[in-house]
Amino acid sequence: MNRTLIELLSPARDLACGIAAIEHGADAVYIGAPKFGARAAVGNSLEDIKKLIDYAHQYYAKVYATVNTILYDNELEDARKIITQLDTAGIDAVIIQDMSILEMDIPPVPIFASTQTHNFDPERIKFLADTGIQRIILARELSNEQIRNIHDQTNVDLEFFVHGALCVCYSGQCYLSAETTGRSANRGECSQPCRMEYSLIGKSGEILVKDKYLLSLKDLNLSDHLFELIKSGITSFKIEGRLKDISYVKNVTAYYRKKLDAIIDGDESLQRASSGRVSLSFEPDPDKTFNRGYTEHFFSETNGKRSSMNTQKAIGKFAGTVIGIHPGYFEIKAEDTIVNGDGLCFFDHESELQGMLVNKIEANKIFCESMEGLKPGVKIFRNKDKEFIKKLSAPTAVRKIQVSLGAWIHTDTVLITASDEDGNFAQIETNLEAPPSTDSQKNRVMLERQFKKSGDTIFSVSEVHLEQIENYFFPISQINELRREVLRRLLEKRIHSYTRKDAAVIKNDTLYPDKKLDFRANVVNVKSREFYRRHGTEISENGFELLGDTNGKILMTTKYCIKSELDVCPLINKNVPPVYEKLFLSDGKNKFRLKFDCAKCEMHVLKD
């Protein structure tokens, strides 16, 4: 039976994070290329990427490199060279945004379409697949029904974000950072204006909401819907976080590994996309690392509020409820053990996030220097878990590949064999130069014990088969050397047997769904224009970064709607005050007009 490979895909800010992701169960990691990644601050050297590839491939895990910014004409050759170098290093795929790369003379490395290519419509996704792209990274705004519909209409590999920070705008369609700071999100330099405070202004200038994080979303968490996503056609489950630290990567990767393993182990039609099992020295809990609270976004119809309107900072995990206030301390009905050095936070009566450091604990009494705004009934969150951070700072996972080892006597020869869970096989043989054993049973116990040791290798010897060897006496040092040598050869076999699936992009003239595209096609070079022209589409204007006049341009298109979030959606609430008919956002320096397309349930942010 052909089983469906299910991939857990983790972020790698750098080499250390990438190795940690593999150790904690990732089937694949994605890492920034030296240049042209959508997180410009976290590019990596080719040397480090090569080291990560070599480490990952031992487990048959994959490494994908991001080259997913838009490219100017003078950068095209540099991008082509980087992709060629990545191919030489053994990269498993390159994630792109700019269609110029499909016009280049590059090696047959698999190409994935970044979520920055706004993969929302089935027609566009089918087109990208028809151009030879091997995987589509879907837009995060899609519902489960929409994902299923896309899968039914295409046969391309589908990847979907299941955890981490959310952009409020459709990916690849955000120009607010470029407009306000000159730092383009499509160039990997987003200044994150969606995490800033704004005031909501009514049609006559009324301040309806003052200084709130009106565009800041909670973080995504679809951990309860993994099985549904598998049934809808997702095969790669992506964790956001190429700017996150190693503790986040360890914790969240391990959490989703356990979740997916539980599903895969219970379904014979599914299989892990890489090898080895992970043993953890901690209990993963995503609530204990950076999060702004969680949302399921638009995955289903009953997802509740999506914004973190009162703060863009980490909230952490619910710790308990205040039951009493006293001079210098407060009492809490705790959900978990709080310790000295923990960081706590709460929302005060004005919904402002307040933080405090724990100085001392006595039973349920929490001593802190500042408790201003704290009242009985207030919910307390822990956004710094001292003990959990300490655990994650140490080695926390071991990943081992199961091996069956055999030792045989054949005439005058000693045979040592090893086979792993993927069918790789290694063998060594040596002349039998050992005296007979005086106690075969005792000798057998010693041999099994020594052959089961695997040291600091990637292997775990789960089975030992002995035949006649227990009848001869071997020094422990010799047994250990034979075991080490056969495992070394087995590792060589694993590395040699790993092959990347090549996939050349062959130019064709498949028609693009739209006949004309504006600046939102993000075309800023001649090769991208050639790409769209060959596919029957006219580019009416340059990408936003090359526009001279941006007045009236749409700076954001979002599925998230402020009216809906504030319960003043006219399609749901028939008694919305007229003041909400025309709305603006102001950050104190800039004013933006909001336009609502209720038929599509979309909100546009425009330069006023």
Side-chain angles (χ1 to χ4, degrees), residues 18 168 235 238 244 281 309 433 440 542:
V168 68
T235 54
K238 189 170 194 172
K244 301 288 176 60
S281 62
M309 202 171 287
E433 298 176 352
S440 296
N542 287 325

mmCIF file of all heavy atoms in Angstrom, residues 18 168 235 238 244 281 309 433 440 542:
data_model
loop_
_atom_site.group_PDB
_atom_site.id
_atom_site.type_symbol
_atom_site.label_atom_id
_atom_site.label_comp_id
_atom_site.label_asym_id
_atom_site.label_seq_id
_atom_site.Cartn_x
_atom_site.Cartn_y
_atom_site.Cartn_z
ATOM 1 N N GLY A 18 18.188 25.090 13.142
ATOM 2 C CA GLY A 18 17.862 24.029 12.205
ATOM 3 C C GLY A 18 18.175 22.658 12.761
ATOM 4 O O GLY A 18 17.376 21.720 12.642
ATOM 5 N N VAL A 168 -1.580 40.227 9.015
ATOM 6 C CA VAL A 168 -2.987 40.591 8.878
ATOM 7 C C VAL A 168 -3.389 40.677 7.411
ATOM 8 O O VAL A 168 -4.534 40.429 7.049
ATOM 9 C CB VAL A 168 -3.287 41.912 9.612
ATOM 10 C CG1 VAL A 168 -2.601 43.090 8.937
ATOM 11 C CG2 VAL A 168 -4.786 42.152 9.727
ATOM 12 N N THR A 235 -0.162 17.962 3.129
ATOM 13 C CA THR A 235 0.860 16.964 3.450
ATOM 14 C C THR A 235 2.061 17.572 4.174
ATOM 15 O O THR A 235 2.875 16.836 4.737
ATOM 16 C CB THR A 235 1.352 16.251 2.183
ATOM 17 O OG1 THR A 235 1.790 17.226 1.225
ATOM 18 C CG2 THR A 235 0.240 15.408 1.571
ATOM 19 N N LYS A 238 3.363 23.459 8.445
ATOM 20 C CA LYS A 238 4.435 24.440 8.610
ATOM 21 C C LYS A 238 4.292 25.261 9.885
ATOM 22 O O LYS A 238 3.223 25.784 10.184
ATOM 23 C CB LYS A 238 4.457 25.387 7.404
ATOM 24 C CG LYS A 238 5.658 26.315 7.345
ATOM 25 C CD LYS A 238 5.702 27.018 6.006
ATOM 26 C CE LYS A 238 7.035 27.686 5.753
ATOM 27 N NZ LYS A 238 7.123 28.207 4.370
ATOM 28 N N LYS A 244 12.349 33.504 15.280
ATOM 29 C CA LYS A 244 12.197 33.031 16.659
ATOM 30 C C LYS A 244 13.471 32.336 17.143
ATOM 31 O O LYS A 244 14.271 31.834 16.357
ATOM 32 C CB LYS A 244 11.010 32.069 16.746
ATOM 33 C CG LYS A 244 9.673 32.688 16.322
ATOM 34 C CD LYS A 244 9.160 33.682 17.342
ATOM 35 C CE LYS A 244 7.876 34.363 16.881
ATOM 36 N NZ LYS A 244 6.779 33.442 16.642
ATOM 37 N N SER A 281 13.121 15.230 27.024
ATOM 38 C CA SER A 281 13.336 15.349 28.465
ATOM 39 C C SER A 281 12.444 16.425 29.078
ATOM 40 O O SER A 281 12.658 16.845 30.209
ATOM 41 C CB SER A 281 14.806 15.679 28.751
ATOM 42 O OG SER A 281 15.159 16.928 28.164
ATOM 43 N N MET A 309 -5.875 43.063 20.124
ATOM 44 C CA MET A 309 -6.070 44.496 20.050
ATOM 45 C C MET A 309 -5.452 45.272 21.212
ATOM 46 O O MET A 309 -5.067 46.434 21.071
ATOM 47 C CB MET A 309 -7.579 44.786 19.979
ATOM 48 C CG MET A 309 -7.929 46.137 19.390
ATOM 49 S SD MET A 309 -9.705 46.310 19.101
ATOM 50 C CE MET A 309 -9.950 45.251 17.681
ATOM 51 N N GLU A 433 39.182 -15.611 15.118
ATOM 52 C CA GLU A 433 40.408 -15.841 15.875
ATOM 53 C C GLU A 433 40.101 -15.650 17.358
ATOM 54 O O GLU A 433 40.580 -14.722 18.007
ATOM 55 C CB GLU A 433 41.510 -14.888 15.421
ATOM 56 C CG GLU A 433 41.908 -15.068 13.958
ATOM 57 C CD GLU A 433 42.935 -14.044 13.488
ATOM 58 O OE1 GLU A 433 43.208 -13.103 14.269
ATOM 59 O OE2 GLU A 433 43.441 -14.189 12.375
ATOM 60 N N SER A 440 28.788 -20.259 27.610
ATOM 61 C CA SER A 440 28.091 -19.689 26.448
ATOM 62 C C SER A 440 26.924 -18.800 26.850
ATOM 63 O O SER A 440 26.679 -17.749 26.227
ATOM 64 C CB SER A 440 27.604 -20.815 25.526
ATOM 65 O OG SER A 440 28.691 -21.520 25.000
ATOM 66 N N ASN A 542 4.333 48.879 -12.842
ATOM 67 C CA ASN A 542 5.391 48.282 -12.046
ATOM 68 C C ASN A 542 4.896 47.906 -10.658
ATOM 69 O O ASN A 542 3.846 48.373 -10.192
ATOM 70 C CB ASN A 542 6.554 49.269 -11.891
ATOM 71 C CG ASN A 542 7.349 49.417 -13.165
ATOM 72 O OD1 ASN A 542 7.523 48.449 -13.910
ATOM 73 N ND2 ASN A 542 7.840 50.613 -13.431
#
